[in-house]
């Protein structure tokens, strides 16, 4: 349902990235090929690094192939990319590759035009902003650090992914975030384009708004019976004191 003036009295706003703050097409067309081209080098040259070693072990566990070599792990990662699977080890390794790409200047993130002005206004109004994405915390940090509008990380109070919070379509994940942020569920607003995520957040007691942007994968499907908006400036958010 579209509300004429979606207004929410909350203490914090939690943001999805793909399809919500930023174009899914940019991630799929720019970031995915960038990581695909660098997985083999990462796994063969840096397999002893703790984060890389942990991700390799997770891939082997998920595939049931404890002896899979680097080439087999790369094949699995690429297959998961083709399926757009939100697997934690894939997101971890992508985050490492992307972070380095952003730091080198190879990559600059994308935000829809309405997003950054809204985030700055909400932050100035005293609202806390968090990110909850299937992309790793490292990738999220790089994304917000290297935006066309400059470093946006001072606006963000915390970053959550499928490793430190859990799967995005499970209510328990949203309960963990509420507990971690010290915020009562009814004082949290979640913005996402995916109905399954919105359903899980609402079941955990959060407010929700589905973001529907033409051209995004979930646009035609809609967001069920959640309030919806086409842009962030259609949403009125005030800081709750209760």
């Amino acid at each position: 349902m579209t509300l004429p003036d979606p207004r929410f009295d909350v203490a914090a706003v939690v943001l999805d990235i793909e399809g919500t703050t930023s174009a899914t097409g940019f991630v799929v067309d720019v970031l995915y090929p960038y990581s695909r081209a660098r997985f083999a080098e990462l796994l063969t040259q840096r397999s002893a690094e703790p984060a890389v070693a942990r991700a390799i072990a997770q891939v082997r566990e998920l595939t049931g192939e404890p002896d899979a070599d680097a080439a087999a792990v790369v094949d699995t990662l690429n297959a998961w990319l083709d399926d757009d699977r939100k697997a934690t080890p894939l997101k971890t390794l992508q985050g490492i590759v992307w972070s380095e790409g952003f730091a080198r200047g190879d990559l600059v993130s994308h935000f829809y035009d309405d997003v950054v002005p809204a985030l700055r206004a909400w932050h100035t109004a005293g609202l806390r902003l968090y990110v909850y994405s299937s992309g790793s915390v490292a990738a999220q940090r790089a994304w917000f650090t290297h935006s066309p509008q400059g470093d946006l990380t001072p606006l963000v109070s915390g970053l959550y992914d499928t490793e430190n919070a859990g799967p995005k379509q499970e209510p328990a994940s949203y309960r963990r975030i509420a507990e971690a942020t010290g915020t009562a569920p009814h004082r949290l607003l979640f913005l996402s384009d995916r109905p399954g995520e919105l359903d899980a957040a609402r079941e955990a007691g959060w407010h929700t708004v589905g973001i529907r942007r033409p051209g995004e994968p979930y646009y035609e499907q809609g967001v069920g019976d959640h309030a919806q908006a086409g842009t962030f400036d259609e949403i009125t958010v005030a800081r709750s004191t209760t």
Side-chain angles (χ1 to χ4, degrees), residues 9-241:
D9 293 316
V10 294
V13 180
V14 182
L15 310 160
D16 171 53
I17 294 179
E18 288 184 42
T20 301
T21 67
S22 311
T24 300
F26 179 89
V27 176
V28 173
D29 297 337
V30 177
L31 295 191
Y32 279 15
Y34 189 88
S35 58
R36 188 190 298 270
R38 289 159 177 80
F39 279 148
E41 179 181 352
L42 177 65
L43 267 61
T44 56
Q45 296 185 7
R46 300 168 57 184
S47 61
E49 294 182 11
V52 177
R54 183 175 68 254
I56 292 172
Q58 290 172 334
V59 172
R60 289 170 174 162
E61 180 180 358
L62 289 170
T63 58
E65 300 177 9
D67 299 321
D69 61 12
V73 173
V74 169
D75 287 344
T76 296
L77 295 172
N78 288 335
W80 286 348
L81 268 181
D82 292 338
D83 294 339
D84 195 23
R85 181 169 169 180
K86 309 302 184 184
T88 294
L90 169 63
K91 296 305 179 180
T92 296
L93 296 170
Q94 282 179 323
I96 293 170
V97 171
W98 293 343
S99 294
E100 295 173 357
F102 280 115
R104 282 195 298 267
D106 294 346
L107 301 170
V108 177
S109 60
H110 168 272
F111 287 87
Y112 282 110
D113 290 342
D114 57 280
V115 171
V116 175
L119 298 186
R120 287 178 171 151
W122 294 343
H123 181 264
T124 298
L127 287 154
R128 285 176 284 121
L129 304 175
Y130 298 95
V131 179
Y132 181 28
S133 172
S134 59
S136 69
V137 165
Q140 295 173 32
R141 186 173 292 108
W143 186 269
F144 276 79
T145 299
H146 301 281
S147 86
Q149 295 85 1
D151 184 3
L152 302 178
T153 57
L155 302 178
V156 180
S157 296
L159 306 171
Y160 296 92
D161 61 12
T162 57
E163 189 159 22
N164 66 6
K168 293 190 71 181
Q169 297 195 35
E170 293 185 5
S173 303
Y174 298 86
R175 297 187 186 103
R176 290 188 194 99
I177 293 173
E179 183 176 357
T181 62
T183 310
H186 72 277
R187 300 183 69 197
L188 286 161
L189 170 65
F190 183 51
L191 308 182
S192 175
D193 64 322
R194 301 198 175 203
E197 298 176 3
L198 296 165
D199 290 345
R202 183 169 61 189
E203 187 172 337
W206 295 28
H207 298 283
T208 57
V209 173
I211 304 300
R212 297 190 65 207
R213 299 183 185 275
E216 287 293 338
Y218 286 85
Y219 177 77
E220 294 298 335
Q221 178 180 347
V223 294
D225 60 353
H226 297 272
Q228 65 182 45
T231 61
F232 278 22
D233 48 24
E234 296 176 10
I235 305 166
T236 303
V237 186
R239 185 178 186 279
S240 174
T241 57

